């Protein structure tokens, strides 16, 4: 990269990696410091050394993932695209860096190969002309004379002139490569997620079990079958093709994205998942609170209520609605606006019933960075097949969660 930029300063194909985003980096460092981790993000070297100190810490995977959240993406650029902008590679702590030795021969690698061949030819011609001039003068030439010698070399004099690419074209190639690389990465991630979902579905069918209906019975069945899933055997006869085993993973809270959502990371399957505080697919009650001062989420799980350990959703009697003033308000609005009041959906009625009937018995939990929970993996289809983490209530989290089988029998 140095040789290319030395002789082709306006059009060298290089790889640029900007430093971490300042705001994100500051939030990461201050957040983990409150949890007892001292991280120095001054450079890529000090960041790596800081993380290395905690290599045996149980939260090291989560720490490393959180550090990557602050990073910018590396990209291809032309060395002369912006004279005022640095092309330094932060992660490698290198002033100049280029892709060159990929076995798949990326096009940017081929461009760099051709530019290096051209740069070496320019250097050879320059050194020959410089030596000839110094021999005539009998002394070393000045820097200004060296520059004149270099500038005297024209493209037409070069044998490999066909390898020259105009700076504007190098920029266009770099932009195109960046777009394709980003799309390929997204495609790879989506492909891995889809095949993992398919694997879980196939594994579930092979096990021939259905989701647990009774926690005690499920635990007994799991022990008897030597499996880690909270499952119960299917009825006698052929396996149910729609049977779904319950797969649980251990997760850590690794990031809060503004105030309405946070990220869970499951190291056992190397996946993270973004959850909304008030997501209807989660099992908590939808009146959760985000505490900005502590960057934590107060999760309301409702009351246990039933033997299965799920919150009890009951319909509220009509009289209760009137006591709370809902009926009176509806009547007033109906008279004033001349419109019939909208009826609550079944789900809304259930949620209101939860908030009323379990207000005093709700079980609440504070989730902050590195909080460890378990989540049940759920395969959903939203345009594409995706994996969703459904956080388990505290009373359904096992002390140990064995790994999901890596292969099928």
């Amino acid at each position: 990269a140095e040789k290319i930029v030395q002789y082709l300063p306006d059009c060298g194909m290089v790889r640029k990696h900007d430093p971490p985003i300042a705001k994100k980096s500051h939030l990461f460092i201050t957040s983990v410091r409150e949890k007892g981790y001292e991280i120095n993000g001054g450079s890529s070297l000090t960041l790596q050394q800081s993380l290395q100190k905690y290599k045996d810490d149980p939260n090291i995977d989560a720490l490393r993932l959180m550090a990557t959240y602050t990073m910018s993406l590396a990209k291809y650029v032309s060395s002369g695209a912006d004279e005022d902008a640095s092309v330094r590679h932060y992660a490698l702590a290198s002033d100049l860096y280029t892709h060159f030795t990929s076995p798949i021969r990326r096009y940017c690698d081929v461009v760099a190969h051709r530019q290096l061949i051209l740069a070496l030819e320019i250097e050879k011609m320059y050194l020959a002309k410089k030596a000839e001039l110094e021999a005539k003068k009998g002394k070393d030439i000045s820097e200004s004379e060296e520059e004149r010698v270099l500038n005297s070399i024209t493209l037409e004099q070069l044998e490999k002139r066909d390898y020259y690419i105009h700076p504007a074209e190098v920029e266009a190639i770099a932009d195109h490569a960046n777009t394709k690389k980003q799309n390929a990465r997204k495609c790879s991630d989506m492909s891995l997620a889809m095949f993992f979902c398919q694997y879980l579905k196939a594994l579930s069918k092979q096990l021939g079990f259905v989701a647990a209906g009774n926690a005690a019975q499920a635990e007994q069945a799991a022990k008897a079958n030597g499996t880690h899933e909270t499952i119960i055997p299917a009825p006698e006869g052929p396996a149910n093709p729609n049977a779904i085993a319950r797969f649980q993973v251990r997760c850590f809270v690794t990031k809060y994205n503004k105030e309405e959502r946070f990220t869970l990371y499951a190291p056992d399957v190397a996946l993270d998942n973004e959850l909304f505080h008030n997501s209807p697919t989660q099992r908590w009650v939808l009146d959760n609170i985000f505490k900005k001062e502590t960057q934590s989420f107060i999760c309301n799980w409702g009351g246990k209520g039933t033997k299965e350990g799920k919150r009890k959703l009951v319909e509220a009697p009509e009289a209760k609605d009137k006591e709370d003033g809902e009926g009176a308000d509806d009547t007033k609005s109906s008279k004033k606006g001349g419109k019939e009041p909208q009826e609550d959906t079944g789900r809304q009625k259930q949620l209101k019933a939860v908030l009323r009937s379990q207000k005093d018995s709700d079980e609440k939990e504070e989730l902050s960075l590195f909080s460890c929970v378990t989540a049940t993996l759920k395969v959903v289809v939203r345009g594409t097949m995706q994996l969703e983490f459904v956080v388990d209530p505290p009373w359904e989290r096992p002390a140990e969660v064995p790994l999901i089988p890596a292969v099928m029998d």
Side-chain angles (χ1 to χ4, degrees):
E2 290 176 353
K3 186 68 68 176
I4 290 171
V5 174
Q6 181 181 358
Y7 292 103
L8 297 169
D10 296 332
C11 58
M13 176 67 76
V14 294
R15 191 88 173 140
K16 176 182 179 180
H17 186 212
D18 289 325
I21 301 168
K23 186 176 180 180
K24 290 184 177 180
S25 181
H26 176 72
L27 180 61
F28 162 61
I29 292 172
T30 55
S31 297
V32 299
R33 182 181 295 139
E34 293 176 0
K35 301 295 180 180
Y37 299 98
E38 289 295 334
I39 301 295
N40 183 346
S43 68
S44 58
L45 179 61
T46 58
L47 177 60
Q48 184 60 35
Q49 289 173 339
S50 297
L51 294 173
Q52 189 65 17
K53 290 189 303 183
Y54 304 107
K55 62 180 181 178
D56 297 324
D57 191 281
N59 291 326
I60 184 59
D61 287 336
L63 265 176
R64 285 178 174 147
L65 183 70
M66 292 168 67
T68 63
Y69 290 147
T70 69
M71 298 292 178
S72 304
L73 291 177
K75 59 184 179 180
Y76 295 106
V77 296
S78 172
S79 58
D82 187 346
E83 294 181 359
D84 297 326
S86 169
V87 292
R88 180 177 174 80
H89 198 289
Y90 171 82
L92 299 177
S94 175
D95 290 332
L96 287 170
Y97 172 75
T98 190
H99 278 169
F100 194 83
T101 55
S102 168
I104 63 173
R105 288 296 177 265
R106 291 169 296 222
Y107 188 66
C108 289
D109 293 45
V110 176
V111 170
H113 296 172
R114 293 172 179 172
Q115 288 184 335
L116 182 60
I117 291 172
L118 193 61
L120 291 174
E121 184 180 353
I122 294 172
E123 182 181 53
K124 183 179 180 180
M125 188 176 293
Y126 160 70
L127 292 176
K129 286 189 174 186
K130 178 186 175 184
E132 182 181 353
L133 184 59
E134 288 178 338
K136 284 183 180 180
K137 289 194 169 188
K139 61 178 182 177
D140 293 341
I141 61 176
S142 64
E143 289 185 6
S144 60
E145 289 176 312
E146 287 181 353
E147 188 174 349
R148 282 197 297 271
V149 171
L150 184 59
N151 291 335
S152 70
I153 301 173
T154 63
L155 191 61
E156 289 72 20
Q157 295 173 321
L158 301 174
E159 182 182 346
K160 299 294 184 180
R161 55 183 172 273
D162 290 343
Y163 284 175
Y164 176 77
I165 304 175
H166 191 275
E169 188 176 353
V170 175
E171 287 184 44
I173 293 171
D175 290 341
H176 183 71
N178 291 331
T179 300
K180 291 297 184 181
K181 186 175 179 66
Q182 189 173 7
N183 289 344
R185 181 175 179 177
K186 289 179 180 178
C187 182
S188 176
D189 291 344
M190 291 172 67
S191 176
L192 287 172
M194 183 189 72
F195 278 100
F196 186 58
C197 289
Q198 293 283 18
Y199 173 73
L200 289 183
K201 291 178 69 176
L203 183 62
S204 175
K205 289 181 180 180
Q206 186 189 64
L207 292 171
F209 295 135
V210 294
N214 180 282
Q217 186 180 357
E219 185 177 356
Q220 185 178 358
K223 289 180 180 178
N225 288 281
T227 61
H228 71 280
E229 294 84 8
T230 307
I231 48 183
I232 57 176
E236 299 248 350
N240 178 4
N242 297 316
I244 301 176
R246 179 180 177 186
F247 299 104
Q248 288 179 293
V249 290
R250 184 174 53 100
C251 305
F252 295 92
V253 178
T254 56
K255 182 174 66 166
Y256 277 95
N257 311 306
K258 299 183 179 178
E259 297 185 6
E260 69 276 5
R261 57 192 188 274
F262 62 97
T263 299
L264 281 182
Y265 174 64
D268 295 339
V269 292
L271 292 172
D272 58 357
N273 196 245
E274 188 175 70
L275 282 70
F276 282 82
H277 290 177
N278 291 324
S279 170
T281 61
Q282 295 297 327
R283 297 177 60 187
W284 50 60
V285 180
L286 305 187
D287 65 338
N288 305 301
I289 300 171
F290 177 76
K291 294 175 64 177
K292 191 171 183 178
E293 62 276 10
T294 58
Q295 289 288 301
S296 60
F297 165 49
I298 308 301
C299 175
N300 184 0
W301 289 105
K304 295 183 182 180
T306 66
K307 291 181 180 179
E308 292 83 359
K310 299 177 181 178
R311 62 175 182 258
K312 188 177 181 181
L313 297 176
V314 295
E315 292 289 341
E318 186 178 348
K320 182 64 176 174
D321 283 340
K322 291 181 179 179
E323 288 175 7
D324 290 342
E326 295 177 7
D329 290 341
D330 287 345
T331 304
K332 290 178 182 177
S333 62
S334 176
K335 289 179 180 179
K336 289 180 180 179
K339 296 181 181 179
E340 291 294 326
Q342 286 187 336
E343 292 187 4
D344 286 341
T345 63
R347 175 67 174 166
Q348 289 172 328
K349 287 181 179 179
Q350 288 178 325
L351 293 175
K352 286 183 178 180
V354 168
L355 297 178
R356 281 195 298 267
S357 64
Q358 298 185 347
K359 186 175 181 181
D360 297 328
S361 60
D362 283 352
E363 180 168 338
K364 296 185 179 180
E365 178 182 26
E366 183 169 355
L367 299 178
S368 58
L369 291 181
F370 304 115
S371 290
C372 183
V373 298
T374 66
T376 299
L377 301 182
K378 180 181 178 183
V379 178
V380 296
V381 178
R382 297 191 183 101
T384 59
M385 191 175 289
Q386 302 172 14
L387 200 64
E388 184 174 61
F389 291 10
V390 180
V391 182
D392 300 315
W395 53 86
E396 289 187 16
R397 297 173 193 165
E400 294 185 9
V401 183
L403 297 176
I404 293 174
V407 294
M408 293 176 62
D409 296 331

